[in-house]
Amino acid sequence: MARAKDEQDPATVVPAEAWPRLVVRRGRGRLGGTTALDASIQLALAAGRNPIIADSARNPTLSSLYGAAATKPASDSITDVNEWLMRDVLNTAVEERRPVALDMGGGQDQTLDDFTQHLDLVAFCKDAQLDPVALYPLGPDMDDFEHALKLRDAGYFSPEKVLLVMNEGVLRRGEDPHGAFGQIRQHPEFLSWVKAGAKPIYMRSLAALPDIRKLGLSLNEAAKDQPAPDGRKLGYAKAWMTRAWLRDFEAGIAEAGAVDWLL
């Protein structure tokens, strides 16, 4: 008896826990989403994995850090972005069985939502044996959280696995992180989201980050105090600070029980 067109061949079925992750940054810009993705990329590379680093055309931070190792669309036109997502990101992930870090750029959620009106990304991932994860960076303002809720409730990309990354780096100097995020953490919708399986994570402030970005270094390059393209270096103290930050980020992921949710 012939198999239904969309039925998986049992010989090609892989246990879900072994599926490559598709980690998609959602939410507003300037809240640390790209930094969280960069840290995730570093952890994947350190573990011997080779993630697809998919960047936006409008604000290509990851491309500036990873150069030819990253991919981005030819322009930010809907046609170019959609073709790039299908050809260079999704097709490559499926054919080469590679995880994906997808950064459409802060505030560019509409671009992805438009794409998913034509291709149901969560359903696609299930058939393609990819594991979709939504990463929402959050600041302490309730507006940031309400924007994340709006995206979730729109339903264009609402996977089961959700990371709620509370970024201490956007707090005012001296502000207590737990107190600053208290209003969000106590919100009924936040509690409900976590009860449904979302993982809340604190991401510590990295004081050296502006210098790291100014030099055009990835977090791993900064942690190793490697020279920038122009030969300048971060310096031992800030490199050590970056190494400590990466250790804390990894520990926070582990504490949240989300180690297998990243790249």
Side-chain angles (χ1 to χ4, degrees), residues 140-141 168 170-181:
D141 294 336
E168 298 178 11
V170 297
L171 301 183
R172 291 183 291 273
R173 186 181 298 275
E175 195 170 8
D176 174 61
H178 292 276
F181 286 101

Side-chain angles (χ1 to χ4, degrees), residues 181-245:
F181 286 101
Q183 185 181 12
I184 291 176
R185 291 191 65 101
Q186 295 166 17
H187 194 284
E189 287 285 0
F190 185 93
L191 296 172
S192 175
W193 210 348
V194 171
K195 186 176 181 180
K199 305 289 189 183
I201 297 165
Y202 280 110
M203 186 168 72
R204 285 186 54 202
S205 175
L206 175 56
L209 188 60
D211 291 327
I212 293 170
R213 294 293 183 242
K214 190 180 297 183
L215 290 173
L217 298 169
S218 70
L219 290 171
N220 190 48
E221 290 170 336
K224 294 179 179 178
D225 202 19
Q226 294 179 352
D230 63 4
R232 290 182 298 163
K233 298 177 70 174
L234 192 63
Y236 184 86
K238 290 179 180 178
W240 183 93
M241 184 186 298
T242 306
R243 290 196 296 273
W245 185 90

Side-chain angles (χ1 to χ4, degrees), residues 38-252:
D38 186 13
S40 303
I41 291 166
Q42 297 302 323
L43 294 177
L45 292 172
R49 294 186 290 276
N50 182 26
I52 296 168
I53 304 169
D55 205 6
S56 71
R58 186 171 298 181
N59 185 26
T61 303
L62 291 177
S63 295
S64 70
L65 300 176
Y66 291 95
T71 176
K72 64 180 179 179
S75 76
D76 61 1
S77 73
I78 292 176
T79 300
D80 282 345
V81 171
N82 287 357
E83 179 61 25
W84 167 75
L85 280 170
M86 286 188 284
R87 183 191 64 237
D88 296 343
V89 180
L90 297 179
N91 285 356
T92 302
V94 173
E95 292 165 5
E96 299 182 7
R97 307 310 298 162
R98 292 169 61 192
V100 180
L102 176 57
D103 189 353
M104 299 295 290
Q108 301 303 309
D109 298 282
Q110 188 61 51
T111 304
L112 183 66
D113 292 348
D114 289 343
F115 176 76
T116 58
Q117 291 185 53
H118 302 285
L119 185 149
D120 184 333
L121 193 50
V122 174
F124 169 87
C125 285
K126 182 178 180 181
D127 285 345
Q129 299 184 65
L130 299 176
D131 190 9
V133 181
L135 187 155
Y136 290 91
L138 298 173
D141 294 336
M142 187 55 66
D143 283 350
D144 299 332
F145 179 62
E146 290 173 349
H147 181 70
L149 288 175
K150 182 178 178 182
L151 292 173
R152 179 200 66 179
D153 293 343
Y156 293 116
F157 180 69
S158 298
E160 292 182 5
K161 294 182 177 178
V162 175
L163 296 171
L164 301 173
V165 181
M166 292 167 282
N167 181 15
E168 298 178 11
V170 297
L171 301 183
R172 291 183 291 273
R173 186 181 298 275
E175 195 170 8
D176 174 61
H178 292 276
F181 286 101
Q183 185 181 12
I184 291 176
R185 291 191 65 101
Q186 295 166 17
H187 194 284
E189 287 285 0
F190 185 93
L191 296 172
S192 175
W193 210 348
V194 171
K195 186 176 181 180
K199 305 289 189 183
I201 297 165
Y202 280 110
M203 186 168 72
R204 285 186 54 202
S205 175
L206 175 56
L209 188 60
D211 291 327
I212 293 170
R213 294 293 183 242
K214 190 180 297 183
L215 290 173
L217 298 169
S218 70
L219 290 171
N220 190 48
E221 290 170 336
K224 294 179 179 178
D225 202 19
Q226 294 179 352
D230 63 4
R232 290 182 298 163
K233 298 177 70 174
L234 192 63
Y236 184 86
K238 290 179 180 178
W240 183 93
M241 184 186 298
T242 306
R243 290 196 296 273
W245 185 90
L246 283 168
R247 287 193 297 268
D248 285 342
F249 180 82
E250 188 171 13

